Amino acid sequence: MISSLPKRISTIAPLFQPLHLTQFKYLHLNNNLLQENNTYNNFNPESYYTSCLSQITHIRPLQQLHARLLVSGLHYNGFIITKFLNVSSNLGLVRYAHEVFDEFPDPYVFLWNAIIRGYSMQNMFSEAITMYLRMHECGVRPDGYTIPHVLKACGGLPSVRVGRAVHGHIFRLGFDWDVFVQNGLVSLYAKCSRIDVARVVFDRVDDRTVVSWTSIISGYAQNGQPWEALKIYREMRRLSEELDWVTLVSVLSAYTDVNDLQQGKSLHGCIIKLGLEFEADLRIALTTLYAKCGELVVAKSLFDQMEVPNVMLWNAMISGFAKNGCAEEAIQLFWDMLSKNIRSDSITIRLVILACAHAGSLEQARCMDEFITNSDYKHDIYVNTALIDMYAKCGSIELARRVFDRILNKDVVAWSAMIVGYGLHGQGRESIDLFQAMIQAGVTPNDVTFIGILTACNHSGLVEEGWYFFHSMRQYGIEPRHQHYACLVDLLGRAGFLEQAYHIIRKMPIEPHVSVWGALLGACKIYRHVTLGEYAAERLFSLDPYNTGHYVQLSNLYASVRFWSGVAKVRVMMKERGLSKDLGYSLIEINGKLEAFRMADKSHPRSKEIFKELEILERRLKAAGYIPDTESVLHDLSHEDKEETLCNHSERLAIAYGLISTSPGTTLRITKNLRACVNCHSATKMISKLVNREIVVRDANRFHHFKDGLCSCGDYW
DNA sequence: ATAGGGTTAG
């Protein structure tokens, strides 16, 4: 019917602009729609137009129909216009809907509901609230249908304030018994991080529906309490409550958060049995679960089975690759997306930047930066902040700074990213200066800023400064968390104040976590403090029994005081628990390509040349007076396996390869999966001077810039 | 005669 309209109507209607009454005459003179309508017997315009409207999927027919309403005078028909507003909002044309709404004289509650719903659905929350307030001003009383939309809009606002006010209206209007309103309140408080209040509301709901249950489950899942979410889910099952696929999405997300692949898999089975496996959103949740738990092959097969392109699914897959050591795959997936013309969003972009940060290739990082500079995300603060982190992690603090400087309205996250970046590169002073500049700029630091500044002090050995910053946290209303304590313990411990560090741990108002004891153990290793180290290790083994790193640290501590039976004891413990130490490797980027080396690796096509270069280096090092510390290293499990010589650690192979494949003076950029070993560190310092090269090494923890025989870490890492 | 609530990627 719509398509049989005379062409000229559609040429009158400008795209995205509603027709106005001023155009009415012109339309009237130029069409014969009324005649067309009159051919129906007992023509009922309301059912006719609602039926037309429900079939509309594009703006053009919507405008045509609008024109017909204007000509026929039906734009004063509240019933039809309500339907019209709903359909245009569903198509994302809520501004158009608003203009049509404004043309309607004295709108009554149905029309108000439609426009508020439109804004709320399109996530235009403040507009929705504005309309709600205007509705009050116009003296129109909201009904039970108004409130849920308003509550949804309140949940999207940064503060719970408006939501509370609406909660007040609810009582006054007497809608507090309405289960739709109650459900809306549960998700409102959950979204505003007031899960405790959400729970109180939920507990008072008499006739809970599946939506009530889903709201509270997802509320706990969103508020970092997946265990509680799962507890309620079990309760729901116990009561044989009905559940649907939306509930399962939240439950899967809770399993993902607690890394429970077992339960997740079993739920996957249920989903198949229920015939819900083709539900797109469930597929996204399942892909996320498998990807997060490292089952990338399963995740990829779920991903591949979906034919309809879906940004969220792509993001879930890219995220899975990026965070599970498959950065290259993540980046590749993004290029696939571009070549297939699949719409990406700012989350995709941020994930790909994250992947670049993990990959560590400066060339790739530059490429991504260029892509963004030529895209709509050029001024996106989140994207630019991710770029700062990326450049810092890819070894170029200068390029990170350049991105930082081009951000106009820097928020606390952008400042923090740069502060963390300086810390990563051991530039503690720059980090502190930037922190002060941030305060000057009137930006309030948050807990992450302090982690950054404390890490920076740590990496630069700025004990007093770190101590000062730690104690200034409360001044900004920030309660120190585990990581802050871990930084402080690390800071004191590395500087040799072991007893003080231990004292801090004992006085902590929160239960010390793995990171805190880990910091203490690390310090004990440096200062060969066996008893305290053993104590810290004990705590660590009970808190985190399958982390290889702790065993290695303890073994190193024993080795450093030549307590060989202790070393053997740790080895037995590891064997009993089925643990083996991580193999070391180094990556070097040559001509934009990353190449990997393992210890004593002879698999490289240019292996012969590499080992020849290594020999030359070794001779030059000896001539320059370099004496490796053999004994401790031979038993040092944290680094790479012992060999008869020390010069074939993966890091050295990478350096040798770098030297023979780049022109003199080129900076070498190396990424290691473990921390720098003492011997390689001092050797690399000398090499940088001997061959007159800058060598940038990213270890598991931080960056080392070797230049002229010195390292930016000041031998403090 | 019209219409309402919950979810996933970060």
Side-chain angles (χ1 to χ4, degrees):
Chain A
M1 253 174 275
I2 301 286
S3 54
S4 67
L5 272 172
K7 275 266 176 344
R8 60 182 180 280
I9 295 282
S10 60
T11 56
I12 293 165
L15 260 180
F16 300 107
Q17 281 294 313
L19 289 160
H20 288 280
L21 292 178
T22 47
Q23 293 166 289
F24 177 81
K25 256 187 199 158
Y26 181 64
L27 282 163
H28 191 244
L29 292 172
N30 284 284
N31 76 80
N32 54 0
L33 286 170
L34 290 174
Q35 277 81 25
E36 185 195 326
N37 289 342
N38 286 338
T39 58
Y40 287 82
N41 267 342
N42 299 324
F43 177 67
N44 177 343
E46 293 186 349
S47 59
Y48 168 73
Y49 279 106
T50 36
S51 146
C52 288
L53 274 162
S54 58
Q55 294 165 40
I56 289 182
T57 52
H58 291 96
I59 179 168
R60 194 48 72 87
L62 188 78
Q63 289 172 318
Q64 291 168 337
L65 192 132
H66 186 200
R68 291 166 64 188
L69 292 176
L70 290 169
V71 223
S72 50
L74 286 167
H75 59 287
Y76 289 138
N77 181 308
F79 179 83
I80 296 175
I81 292 300
T82 300
K83 182 81 184 167
F84 188 93
L85 298 180
N86 284 327
V87 169
S88 13
S89 305
N90 291 346
L91 296 175
L93 305 166
V94 57
R95 297 282 181 202
Y96 188 114
H98 195 151
E99 292 189 46
V100 175
F101 174 87
D102 281 342
E103 297 281 353
F104 197 92
D106 292 324
Y108 54 96
V109 64
F110 275 54
L111 288 116
W112 285 104
N113 288 352
I115 196 69
I116 292 170
R117 166 185 177 273
Y119 277 125
S120 179
M121 263 191 6
Q122 298 297 319
N123 296 339
M124 296 162 80
F125 303 126
S126 44
E127 285 88 344
I129 304 288
T130 307
M131 291 313 279
Y132 174 66
L133 295 176
R134 200 171 296 166
M135 178 181 184
H136 277 271
E137 284 163 19
C138 294
V140 178
R141 188 187 150 92
D143 63 12
Y145 288 79
T146 322
I147 302 298
H149 297 302
V150 177
L151 289 175
K152 178 174 190 270
C154 293
L157 298 176
S159 145
V160 72
R161 229 189 64 246
V162 183
R164 275 215 199 93
V166 175
H167 198 165
H169 296 177
I170 291 169
F171 281 122
R172 236 178 306 142
L173 296 161
F175 294 129
D176 49 309
W177 50 266
D178 182 327
V179 69
F180 281 76
V181 172
Q182 291 169 326
N183 294 344
L185 282 169
V186 171
S187 52
L188 160 74
Y189 284 113
K191 285 211 182 77
C192 295
S193 316
R194 299 303 308 267
I195 187 68
D196 47 337
V197 185
R199 180 57 181 266
V200 172
V201 178
F202 173 79
D203 285 340
R204 285 187 195 152
V205 182
D206 286 326
D207 300 306
R208 291 174 191 155
T209 65
V210 61
V211 178
S212 322
W213 289 97
T214 308
S215 300
I216 195 71
I217 289 175
S218 79
Y220 277 115
Q222 286 163 17
N223 282 278
Q225 298 187 43
W227 297 110
E228 194 60 31
L230 293 170
K231 208 169 126 189
I232 295 187
Y233 170 63
R234 279 191 296 272
E235 173 72 3
M236 194 180 169
R237 297 296 300 265
R238 198 180 60 79
L239 296 170
S240 305
E241 290 282 341
E242 168 212 2
L243 49 85
D244 64 11
W245 64 269
V246 187
T247 322
L248 296 181
V249 167
S250 288
V251 175
L252 279 173
S253 129
Y255 283 141
T256 306
D257 285 345
V258 301
N259 273 308
D260 196 336
L261 186 59
Q262 239 18 63
Q263 289 293 328
K265 272 185 181 164
S266 115
L267 191 53
H268 188 179
C270 295
I271 289 167
I272 293 172
K273 260 186 242 155
L274 292 166
L276 295 171
E277 55 178 317
F278 300 108
E279 202 64 61
D281 292 352
L282 271 175
R283 180 147 298 201
I284 294 168
L286 282 167
T287 307
T288 309
L289 169 83
Y290 284 109
K292 164 103 187 299
C293 295
E295 297 256 3
L296 292 173
V297 179
V298 184
K300 186 67 177 11
S301 80
L302 282 169
F303 171 81
D304 287 338
Q305 282 168 37
M306 185 128 133
E307 323 80 31
V308 193
N310 181 313
V311 198
M312 266 208 220
L313 183 67
W314 280 79
N315 289 349
M317 198 61 235
I318 292 175
S319 158
F321 279 137
K323 292 171 184 172
N324 284 284
C326 304
E328 297 296 334
E329 283 84 348
I331 298 165
Q332 185 52 49
L333 219 51
F334 176 61
W335 298 127
D336 288 354
M337 216 172 163
L338 287 181
S339 68
K340 288 182 180 163
N341 266 325
I342 296 170
R343 198 173 52 87
S344 59
D345 61 12
S346 81
I347 291 167
T348 321
I349 302 294
R350 278 146 67 184
L351 286 168
V352 179
I353 297 173
L354 181 77
C356 289
H358 284 174
S361 149
L362 188 58
E363 191 107 347
Q364 219 159 34
R366 281 213 183 89
C367 180
M368 200 60 206
D369 186 7
E370 197 189 308
F371 174 85
I372 285 152
T373 317
N374 295 315
S375 76
D376 296 341
Y377 300 108
K378 190 166 53 179
H379 300 297
D380 184 315
I381 187 155
Y382 295 101
V383 167
N384 279 297
T385 304
L387 283 178
I388 296 176
D389 177 64
M390 174 190 76
Y391 270 135
K393 291 205 172 117
C394 290
S396 178
I397 195 69
E398 296 82 13
L399 289 173
R401 181 64 195 237
R402 205 176 293 174
V403 176
F404 176 77
D405 286 336
R406 77 179 182 219
I407 300 179
L408 293 175
N409 295 309
K410 301 173 187 65
D411 63 0
V412 61
V413 186
W415 285 95
S416 303
M418 196 63 224
I419 289 170
V420 170
Y422 278 127
L424 198 63
H425 286 262
Q427 304 194 11
R429 288 287 162 203
E430 285 78 359
S431 200
I432 292 173
D433 288 347
L434 205 64
F435 180 85
Q436 256 124 28
M438 170 179 155
I439 304 292
Q440 283 293 309
V443 177
T444 314
N446 64 17
D447 54 337
V448 182
T449 322
F450 276 99
I451 290 174
I453 194 100
L454 289 171
T455 316
C457 291
N458 242 337
H459 286 166
S460 306
L462 302 169
V463 183
E464 273 177 39
E465 289 84 347
W467 179 263
Y468 164 78
F469 281 117
F470 182 87
H471 288 96
S472 69
M473 285 178 69
R474 288 220 172 81
Q475 185 183 316
Y476 296 98
I478 301 161
E479 202 54 43
R481 292 186 296 128
H482 293 112
Q483 289 106 312
H484 301 102
Y485 279 102
C487 283
L488 187 66
V489 167
D490 203 15
L491 188 72
L492 292 168
R494 271 171 211 270
F497 302 112
L498 294 180
E499 299 298 330
Q500 286 88 334
Y502 181 54
H503 186 66
I504 293 282
I505 297 180
R506 295 196 40 172
K507 272 189 19 191
M508 275 174 66
I510 45 177
E511 193 66 31
H513 242 235
V514 174
S515 53
V516 180
W517 291 114
L520 185 65
L521 177 57
C524 291
K525 195 237 141 191
I526 299 174
Y527 292 97
R528 305 181 180 189
H529 196 311
V530 177
T531 42
L532 195 54
E534 278 177 332
Y535 182 69
E538 235 169 73
R539 312 296 319 143
L540 285 166
F541 295 157
S542 72
L543 285 168
D544 190 12
Y546 296 107
N547 189 325
T548 319
H550 311 319
Y551 298 87
V552 170
Q553 280 283 47
L554 182 62
S555 167
N556 289 343
L557 170 59
Y558 286 146
S560 71
V561 295
R562 305 176 180 216
F563 177 38
W564 308 125
S565 60
V567 173
K569 194 180 75 187
V570 176
R571 197 167 294 152
V572 170
M573 273 170 80
M574 285 179 75
K575 210 168 192 175
E576 279 171 2
R577 293 175 194 185
L579 299 171
S580 58
K581 64 194 146 80
D582 298 334
L583 284 174
Y585 63 80
S586 294
L587 303 170
I588 184 164
E589 186 180 3
I590 303 290
N591 300 326
K593 207 176 147 233
L594 285 173
E595 307 226 32
F597 290 92
R598 284 197 185 290
M599 186 205 58
D601 195 338
K602 295 199 170 68
S603 64
H604 198 274
R606 295 181 67 186
S607 182
K608 270 205 170 124
E609 293 167 74
I610 294 169
F611 277 88
K612 207 173 144 209
E613 179 68 20
L614 265 181
E615 257 176 55
I616 298 171
L617 277 176
E618 205 62 15
R619 236 178 293 138
R620 293 184 67 183
L621 279 170
K622 276 207 181 109
Y626 168 72
I627 307 159
D629 168 20
T630 35
E631 186 154 29
S632 74
V633 175
L634 286 177
H635 299 276
D636 192 342
L637 286 171
S638 77
H639 310 302
E640 300 162 43
D641 230 329
K642 60 181 175 181
E643 271 283 308
E644 56 279 12
T645 52
L646 289 162
C647 62
N648 56 8
H649 278 181
S650 62
E651 182 176 338
R652 306 265 194 108
L653 297 185
I655 292 175
Y657 177 60
L659 288 174
I660 60 171
S661 28
T662 56
S663 50
T666 313
T667 301
L668 301 183
R669 295 177 184 278
I670 292 165
T671 306
K672 287 171 60 89
N673 65 329
L674 301 175
R675 285 172 68 167
C677 98
V678 187
N679 274 303
C680 286
H681 193 267
S682 50
T684 310
K685 279 199 293 186
M686 277 190 149
I687 294 170
S688 73
K689 193 180 169 89
L690 291 171
V691 301
N692 197 20
R693 297 262 198 147
E694 211 177 316
I695 303 174
V696 181
V697 177
R698 161 175 156 186
D699 75 7
N701 240 356
R702 58 170 294 165
F703 275 94
H704 301 263
H705 291 259
F706 298 94
K707 200 182 173 187
D708 291 330
L710 295 173
C711 178
S712 62
C713 76
D715 301 335
Y716 196 87
W717 79 91

